[in-house]
């Protein structure tokens, strides 16, 4: 039996029947048509509901839409700073791998990776497909340039064409000694930027990259971030968390904290201020619930920004 279609009038009537106050019906209909009933209501309405089919008394459509827009806006912020994080990750992988493996097409040699043949062969296939995809006569890019001039694509060029998931898999399969060098480099960089000692282990970095990749996919595909829980717990490092212990190591908040490893102190502060501004803007539209409840759904503790400021000022 097909699902019943509801037009805009019926959508508004359904929300009202469940106790949601709508001050301006015409504006509500325009926003529902522009942004989709499902996207606005599902996953966001629960912040304003006493149960699945009943809104808290005095809750409004304006609040519901503000929560929906908050989710969209923090995803934009996260995506921008994840891209900045990727820049350092790509550079570090390319630099230390290329330094330690100087033969031609070194990233297609099995002895330069862990003894996991099936996974390594799958990695090689994905790297070759990436090169083939961009090495077309009608394209002008650094891959076509190096293939034409040098008959080889160096890793420091190829990494800029790899999806983040492939890049993370590349790191995961690198030799342990190469990953240790990267971990030591990130430890030094972090200590210099934040004036806090840290001892990073390759396994910790891999767990951070895996969860960062999951959040990247969420925000890049515009899926709901609020209430999202990661499938795997990040490996704990006290220097990353400092005095802002995350409620859960599988929270978005912990991913946010781990991004300190890949951003400069200035970048991370700008990232944090942007999130804090989004939170303050949200507060202006809320009366039925608090922004703390909403950010808390992804692991952010109360007064997280003040705690961060104290940590960064030390």
């Amino acid at each position: 039996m097909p699902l019943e279609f509801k037009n805009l009038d019926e959508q508004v009537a359904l929300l009202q029947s469940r106790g949601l106050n709508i001050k301006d019906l015409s504006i509500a209909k325009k926003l529902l048509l522009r942004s989709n009933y499902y996207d606005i209501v599902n996953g966001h309405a629960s912040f304003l509901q006493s149960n699945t089919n009943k809104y808290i008394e005095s809750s409004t459509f304006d609040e519901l839409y503000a929560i929906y827009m908050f989710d969209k806006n923090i995803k934009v912020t996260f995506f921008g700073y994840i891209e900045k994080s990727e820049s350092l990750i790509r550079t570090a992988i390319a630099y230390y791998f290329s330094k330690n493996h100087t033969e031609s097409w070194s990233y297609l040699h099995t002895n330069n990776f862990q003894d996991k043949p099936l996974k390594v062969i799958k990695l090689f296939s994905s790297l070759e497909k990436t090169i083939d995809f961009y090495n077309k006569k009608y394209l002008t890019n650094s891959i076509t340039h190096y293939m034409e001039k040098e008959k080889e694509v160096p890793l420091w060029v190829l990494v800029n064409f790899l999806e983040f998931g492939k890049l993370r898999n590349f790191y995961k399969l690198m030799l342990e000694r190469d990953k240790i060098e990267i971990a030591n480099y990130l430890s030094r960089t972090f200590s210099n930027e934040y004036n806090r000692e840290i001892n990073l282990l390759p396994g910790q970095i891999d767990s951070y990259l895996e969860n960062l990749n999951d959040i990247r996919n969420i925000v890049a595909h515009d899926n709901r971030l609020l209430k999202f829980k990661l499938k795997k717990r990040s490996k704990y490092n006290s220097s990353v968390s400092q005095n802002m212990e995350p409620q859960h190591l599988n929270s978005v908040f912990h991913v946010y904290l781990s991004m300190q490893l890949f951003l400069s102190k200035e970048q991370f502060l700008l990232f944090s201020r942007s999130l804090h501004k989004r939170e303050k803007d949200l507060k202006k539209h809320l009366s039925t619930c608090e922004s703390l409840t909403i950010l808390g759904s992804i692991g952010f503790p109360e007064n997280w920004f003040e705690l961060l400021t104290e940590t960064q000022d030390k």
Side-chain angles (χ1 to χ4, degrees):
M1 184 176 178
L3 294 174
E4 181 184 358
F5 169 78
K6 285 184 169 56
N7 61 37
L8 292 174
D9 289 327
E10 291 169 327
Q11 291 174 19
V12 167
L14 179 61
L15 292 172
Q16 289 177 316
S17 72
R18 293 176 175 175
L20 188 67
N21 294 288
I22 303 178
K23 298 175 183 177
D24 191 318
L25 294 179
S26 63
I27 291 178
K29 290 176 185 178
K30 287 179 182 178
L31 294 176
L32 287 168
L33 186 59
R34 176 182 298 172
S35 300
N36 188 310
Y37 179 97
Y38 179 87
D39 289 343
I40 294 174
V41 177
N42 288 55
H44 302 103
S46 59
F47 292 110
L48 302 173
Q49 290 176 324
S50 54
N51 60 57
T52 305
N53 294 316
K54 188 66 177 176
Y55 284 90
I56 299 168
E57 187 177 355
S58 79
S59 57
T60 68
F61 182 83
D62 290 345
E63 289 181 282
L64 178 59
Y65 191 74
I67 295 169
Y68 162 75
M69 286 305 301
F70 175 73
D71 184 66
K72 292 187 76 70
N73 289 333
I74 63 171
K75 284 185 293 191
V76 171
T77 301
F78 261 94
F79 188 73
Y81 285 94
I82 288 173
E83 284 195 319
K84 294 180 190 300
S85 299
E86 285 182 29
S87 179
L88 182 141
I89 295 164
R90 292 178 192 279
T91 302
I93 289 173
Y95 179 84
Y96 286 100
F97 186 92
S98 300
K99 177 178 78 71
N100 295 335
H101 308 285
T102 57
E103 62 270 41
S104 295
W105 299 99
S106 57
Y107 50 81
L108 296 179
H109 291 214
T110 55
N111 58 323
N112 293 337
F113 293 88
Q114 294 179 35
D115 187 19
K116 297 180 178 180
L118 294 179
K119 291 183 178 180
V120 170
I121 289 172
K122 189 176 179 180
L123 171 66
F124 289 175
S125 176
S126 71
L127 297 178
E128 290 170 343
K129 285 179 180 177
T130 299
I131 293 172
D132 289 342
F133 181 82
Y134 288 102
N135 185 33
K136 302 288 195 300
K137 290 182 179 179
Y138 57 83
L139 295 178
T140 302
N141 57 56
S142 50
I143 284 181
T144 58
H145 170 79
Y146 272 91
M147 286 297 290
E148 181 180 351
K149 301 294 183 183
E150 308 293 340
K151 308 303 179 186
E152 179 183 356
V153 181
L155 183 59
W156 58 84
V157 169
L158 179 59
V159 289
N160 293 317
F161 293 85
L162 297 180
E163 298 169 358
F164 190 67
K166 290 181 183 179
L167 188 72
R168 187 192 74 79
N169 193 40
F170 189 104
Y171 170 83
K172 190 172 186 176
L173 292 171
M174 287 172 65
L175 295 174
E176 192 70 10
R177 63 174 180 267
D178 294 338
K179 293 202 286 187
I180 289 173
E181 280 199 70
I182 292 175
N184 291 340
Y185 161 70
L186 291 175
S187 295
R188 291 193 304 271
T189 302
F190 178 89
S191 297
N192 290 336
E193 284 287 337
Y194 297 92
N195 197 28
R196 300 204 305 270
E197 290 300 316
I198 191 171
N199 180 28
L200 285 169
L201 302 175
Q204 292 172 333
I205 295 171
D206 186 52
S207 77
Y208 300 153
L209 294 182
E210 181 174 3
N211 284 342
L212 185 63
N213 186 46
D214 284 349
I215 297 299
R216 189 193 193 284
N217 289 336
I218 288 287
V219 301
H221 294 99
D222 199 21
N223 294 323
R224 178 170 53 84
L225 185 61
L226 295 176
K227 294 192 173 183
F228 181 74
K229 293 288 190 298
L230 292 144
K231 291 176 288 186
K232 293 186 179 180
R233 290 163 58 88
S234 293
K235 294 188 176 180
Y236 180 73
N237 185 299
S238 59
S239 295
V240 172
S241 298
Q242 193 67 356
N243 64 343
M244 297 178 292
E245 301 295 343
Q247 297 175 17
H248 304 286
L249 290 172
N250 63 339
S251 69
V252 176
F253 180 66
H254 191 272
V255 173
Y256 155 76
L257 290 178
S258 72
M259 288 170 68
Q260 293 174 92
L261 300 172
F262 314 117
L263 297 171
S264 69
K265 183 176 181 179
E266 181 182 4
Q267 287 175 326
F268 189 70
L269 283 173
L270 289 172
F271 179 26
S272 304
R273 287 168 183 160
S274 180
L275 291 175
H276 186 50
K277 183 181 183 302
R278 302 291 192 193
E279 182 187 16
K280 288 194 296 183
D281 290 343
L282 175 64
K283 284 181 180 179
K284 297 174 184 176
H285 297 277
L286 298 180
S287 58
T288 306
C289 67
E290 296 193 9
S291 61
L292 171 62
T293 304
I294 296 165
L295 267 179
S297 75
I298 51 175
F300 279 68
E302 186 176 2
N303 300 325
W304 66 273
F305 186 72
E306 290 74 14
L307 292 171
L308 168 79
T309 305
E310 291 175 8
T311 302
Q312 301 300 317
D313 288 342
K314 287 183 178 179

